[in-house]
Amino acid sequence: MIERIIDLFMERFGHKPLAFRAPGRVNLIGEHTDYNNGFVMPAAINRYAYFAVKPNGQNLYRFHAFDFKKDYTTNIYQINPSKTHWANYLLGVIAQMVSDGKDIPGFDCVFGGDVPMGAGMSSSAAIESGLAFALNSMYNLGYTRMQLAHISQMAEHQYAGVNCGIMDQFASLHGKENHVLQLDCRILEYVPFELDMAKHSIILVNTGVKHSLASSEYNKRRNECQTGVEVIKQHLPVVSSLRDITLNNLNEFKLEFNDVVWNRCSYVGEENERVIAAGNALLNHDFATFGKLMYQSHYGLRDKYQVSCSELDQLVEITEELDYVVGARMMGGGFGGCTINLVKNDYIDSFVEVINSRYKTPEGQSPQIITCVIGNGAEQLT
Ligand code: GLA
């Protein structure tokens, strides 16, 4: 795809670009914990947003979206959120850098990708992180990868209206081949755990339900967690996020919570503990335990955090009867998108057959099934 993007760039703009790519991600475990300062365990995958970019010597940012065959041009002194939805992911990144005092001269850009959209695989984070990485290299801005992740996250907050955590942009920028990254979102430090894939594969099954509800429900979950923090804060003023609250604290003050908020908060506490346990299981090559933790994560997201949907639940239920699926759960923000499945390599064909025979998307189609290879984070190609 990058060759086609470079060719198109030269055709439209008549000069030779630099090329970059940034990946989408999977998350093995640790869902809805990042914005609560907790733990997550994502990995970058072999699906990317690709960029061809080059300064143009004019006061213009000129974008072409390869996948939509659409253009967007703006004066560099007039960066504002746009009605063109896709442009906001790019403009948001530039706006962050400019408000941080950086000079971002005019440039031309063709971008496109193969991370499915609305599937919970972070296609938007790949776009934000890819442009942030490209501008940082092209204009020698001196940002670290973690700073670029933060810039990309803020672009999503301010230009796309989703108050996401840092997991997706972090994974897109820090991915490491054959490793999952256990990130502590409070101190922004991470431990790479080798994922020995000799006997297992990571397979995504796309429900075909786009997570369109997700953004409003997502922001609602954040607020519910904050309400929980406020309750505990009255007793323990040092608490500033759910990360500072133990399951014991929650039980002690349970009577002061309404049921919904208590469920949200106890899910987050339990999920954080599962991420730590999952890391230990990987160190012991104990996939059986790892897989059980994935199922528990799904049940918590379904019953307590309430971000699943019937299609995701159905896909997970199908796997419960299959011994060769060691773990399965919904992945990402929820309300649609994919399930992530840890499947024994010798049974991949059977898995695909069973899923295809027992699940159809809301349009009556066979679901998209994606085997993931874990790769590196954002990089320059030429
Ligand atoms: C989305 C957000 C992430 C994270 C997940 C849920 O992918 O962008 O920051 O909160 O949902 O774990």
Side-chain angles (χ1 to χ4, degrees), residues 349-361:
D349 291 345
S350 319
F351 175 74
V352 170
E353 217 176 285
V354 172
I355 295 292
N356 277 330
S357 70
R358 297 192 45 197
Y359 181 82
K360 292 282 173 272
T361 68

PDB file of all heavy atoms in Angstrom, residues 349-361:
ATOM      1  N   ASP A 349      -8.034 -23.586  11.801  1.00  0.00           N
ATOM      2  CA  ASP A 349      -9.038 -23.848  10.752  1.00  0.00           C
ATOM      3  C   ASP A 349     -10.388 -24.212  11.372  1.00  0.00           C
ATOM      4  O   ASP A 349     -11.427 -23.746  10.920  1.00  0.00           O
ATOM      5  CB  ASP A 349      -8.580 -24.990   9.828  1.00  0.00           C
ATOM      6  CG  ASP A 349      -7.391 -24.557   8.982  1.00  0.00           C
ATOM      7  OD1 ASP A 349      -7.138 -23.331   8.917  1.00  0.00           O
ATOM      8  OD2 ASP A 349      -6.713 -25.437   8.411  1.00  0.00           O
ATOM      9  N   SER A 350     -10.353 -25.066  12.410  1.00  0.00           N
ATOM     10  CA  SER A 350     -11.614 -25.435  13.073  1.00  0.00           C
ATOM     11  C   SER A 350     -12.278 -24.202  13.655  1.00  0.00           C
ATOM     12  O   SER A 350     -13.496 -24.028  13.561  1.00  0.00           O
ATOM     13  CB  SER A 350     -11.394 -26.412  14.225  1.00  0.00           C
ATOM     14  OG  SER A 350     -10.450 -27.355  13.878  1.00  0.00           O
ATOM     15  N   PHE A 351     -11.463 -23.344  14.281  1.00  0.00           N
ATOM     16  CA  PHE A 351     -12.004 -22.120  14.894  1.00  0.00           C
ATOM     17  C   PHE A 351     -12.741 -21.288  13.843  1.00  0.00           C
ATOM     18  O   PHE A 351     -13.892 -20.877  14.036  1.00  0.00           O
ATOM     19  CB  PHE A 351     -10.860 -21.318  15.524  1.00  0.00           C
ATOM     20  CG  PHE A 351     -11.273 -19.984  16.087  1.00  0.00           C
ATOM     21  CD1 PHE A 351     -11.992 -19.901  17.270  1.00  0.00           C
ATOM     22  CD2 PHE A 351     -10.947 -18.800  15.428  1.00  0.00           C
ATOM     23  CE1 PHE A 351     -12.385 -18.670  17.787  1.00  0.00           C
ATOM     24  CE2 PHE A 351     -11.326 -17.569  15.936  1.00  0.00           C
ATOM     25  CZ  PHE A 351     -12.048 -17.504  17.115  1.00  0.00           C
ATOM     26  N   VAL A 352     -12.081 -21.075  12.714  1.00  0.00           N
ATOM     27  CA  VAL A 352     -12.666 -20.246  11.653  1.00  0.00           C
ATOM     28  C   VAL A 352     -13.977 -20.879  11.166  1.00  0.00           C
ATOM     29  O   VAL A 352     -14.986 -20.186  10.980  1.00  0.00           O
ATOM     30  CB  VAL A 352     -11.657 -20.076  10.489  1.00  0.00           C
ATOM     31  CG1 VAL A 352     -12.310 -19.429   9.276  1.00  0.00           C
ATOM     32  CG2 VAL A 352     -10.457 -19.251  10.955  1.00  0.00           C
ATOM     33  N   GLU A 353     -13.942 -22.199  11.032  1.00  0.00           N
ATOM     34  CA  GLU A 353     -15.139 -22.912  10.558  1.00  0.00           C
ATOM     35  C   GLU A 353     -16.319 -22.745  11.538  1.00  0.00           C
ATOM     36  O   GLU A 353     -17.433 -22.446  11.128  1.00  0.00           O
ATOM     37  CB  GLU A 353     -14.778 -24.391  10.454  1.00  0.00           C
ATOM     38  CG  GLU A 353     -15.406 -25.103   9.281  1.00  0.00           C
ATOM     39  CD  GLU A 353     -14.871 -26.527   9.256  1.00  0.00           C
ATOM     40  OE1 GLU A 353     -13.697 -26.706   8.849  1.00  0.00           O
ATOM     41  OE2 GLU A 353     -15.600 -27.437   9.694  1.00  0.00           O
ATOM     42  N   VAL A 354     -16.022 -22.945  12.824  1.00  0.00           N
ATOM     43  CA  VAL A 354     -17.093 -22.845  13.826  1.00  0.00           C
ATOM     44  C   VAL A 354     -17.657 -21.419  13.865  1.00  0.00           C
ATOM     45  O   VAL A 354     -18.871 -21.209  13.865  1.00  0.00           O
ATOM     46  CB  VAL A 354     -16.578 -23.255  15.230  1.00  0.00           C
ATOM     47  CG1 VAL A 354     -17.625 -22.955  16.305  1.00  0.00           C
ATOM     48  CG2 VAL A 354     -16.208 -24.718  15.241  1.00  0.00           C
ATOM     49  N   ILE A 355     -16.770 -20.437  13.875  1.00  0.00           N
ATOM     50  CA  ILE A 355     -17.242 -19.044  13.949  1.00  0.00           C
ATOM     51  C   ILE A 355     -18.109 -18.745  12.720  1.00  0.00           C
ATOM     52  O   ILE A 355     -19.207 -18.181  12.838  1.00  0.00           O
ATOM     53  CB  ILE A 355     -16.048 -18.054  14.030  1.00  0.00           C
ATOM     54  CG1 ILE A 355     -15.277 -18.241  15.332  1.00  0.00           C
ATOM     55  CG2 ILE A 355     -16.522 -16.602  13.865  1.00  0.00           C
ATOM     56  CD1 ILE A 355     -16.004 -17.851  16.593  1.00  0.00           C
ATOM     57  N   ASN A 356     -17.619 -19.138  11.553  1.00  0.00           N
ATOM     58  CA  ASN A 356     -18.386 -18.844  10.332  1.00  0.00           C
ATOM     59  C   ASN A 356     -19.738 -19.546  10.304  1.00  0.00           C
ATOM     60  O   ASN A 356     -20.704 -19.013   9.775  1.00  0.00           O
ATOM     61  CB  ASN A 356     -17.589 -19.236   9.089  1.00  0.00           C
ATOM     62  CG  ASN A 356     -16.608 -18.136   8.709  1.00  0.00           C
ATOM     63  OD1 ASN A 356     -16.870 -16.966   8.963  1.00  0.00           O
ATOM     64  ND2 ASN A 356     -15.489 -18.517   8.129  1.00  0.00           N
ATOM     65  N   SER A 357     -19.797 -20.744  10.889  1.00  0.00           N
ATOM     66  CA  SER A 357     -21.076 -21.445  10.821  1.00  0.00           C
ATOM     67  C   SER A 357     -22.047 -20.946  11.903  1.00  0.00           C
ATOM     68  O   SER A 357     -23.243 -21.047  11.751  1.00  0.00           O
ATOM     69  CB  SER A 357     -20.884 -22.959  10.918  1.00  0.00           C
ATOM     70  OG  SER A 357     -20.482 -23.285  12.217  1.00  0.00           O
ATOM     71  N   ARG A 358     -21.510 -20.360  12.981  1.00  0.00           N
ATOM     72  CA  ARG A 358     -22.423 -20.001  14.075  1.00  0.00           C
ATOM     73  C   ARG A 358     -22.646 -18.511  14.268  1.00  0.00           C
ATOM     74  O   ARG A 358     -23.489 -18.101  15.053  1.00  0.00           O
ATOM     75  CB  ARG A 358     -21.917 -20.631  15.380  1.00  0.00           C
ATOM     76  CG  ARG A 358     -21.944 -22.154  15.259  1.00  0.00           C
ATOM     77  CD  ARG A 358     -21.747 -22.873  16.544  1.00  0.00           C
ATOM     78  NE  ARG A 358     -22.498 -22.357  17.660  1.00  0.00           N
ATOM     79  CZ  ARG A 358     -22.216 -22.645  18.919  1.00  0.00           C
ATOM     80  NH1 ARG A 358     -21.205 -23.451  19.194  1.00  0.00           N
ATOM     81  NH2 ARG A 358     -22.932 -22.149  19.900  1.00  0.00           N
ATOM     82  N   TYR A 359     -21.871 -17.694  13.555  1.00  0.00           N
ATOM     83  CA  TYR A 359     -22.070 -16.245  13.732  1.00  0.00           C
ATOM     84  C   TYR A 359     -22.202 -15.537  12.387  1.00  0.00           C
ATOM     85  O   TYR A 359     -21.425 -15.783  11.468  1.00  0.00           O
ATOM     86  CB  TYR A 359     -20.893 -15.612  14.499  1.00  0.00           C
ATOM     87  CG  TYR A 359     -21.105 -14.126  14.715  1.00  0.00           C
ATOM     88  CD1 TYR A 359     -21.889 -13.647  15.757  1.00  0.00           C
ATOM     89  CD2 TYR A 359     -20.561 -13.192  13.817  1.00  0.00           C
ATOM     90  CE1 TYR A 359     -22.126 -12.293  15.918  1.00  0.00           C
ATOM     91  CE2 TYR A 359     -20.799 -11.828  13.974  1.00  0.00           C
ATOM     92  CZ  TYR A 359     -21.580 -11.389  15.030  1.00  0.00           C
ATOM     93  OH  TYR A 359     -21.825 -10.038  15.188  1.00  0.00           O
ATOM     94  N   LYS A 360     -23.186 -14.670  12.296  1.00  0.00           N
ATOM     95  CA  LYS A 360     -23.319 -13.802  11.119  1.00  0.00           C
ATOM     96  C   LYS A 360     -23.388 -12.360  11.605  1.00  0.00           C
ATOM     97  O   LYS A 360     -23.943 -12.081  12.670  1.00  0.00           O
ATOM     98  CB  LYS A 360     -24.602 -14.134  10.335  1.00  0.00           C
ATOM     99  CG  LYS A 360     -24.578 -15.508   9.664  1.00  0.00           C
ATOM    100  CD  LYS A 360     -23.745 -15.512   8.381  1.00  0.00           C
ATOM    101  CE  LYS A 360     -23.557 -16.899   7.779  1.00  0.00           C
ATOM    102  NZ  LYS A 360     -22.393 -17.647   8.280  1.00  0.00           N
ATOM    103  N   THR A 361     -22.849 -11.441  10.840  1.00  0.00           N
ATOM    104  CA  THR A 361     -22.918 -10.015  11.198  1.00  0.00           C
ATOM    105  C   THR A 361     -24.371  -9.557  11.073  1.00  0.00           C
ATOM    106  O   THR A 361     -25.188 -10.267  10.462  1.00  0.00           O
ATOM    107  CB  THR A 361     -22.057  -9.161  10.238  1.00  0.00           C
ATOM    108  OG1 THR A 361     -22.675  -9.205   8.950  1.00  0.00           O
ATOM    109  CG2 THR A 361     -20.634  -9.660  10.147  1.00  0.00           C
TER     110      THR A 361
END
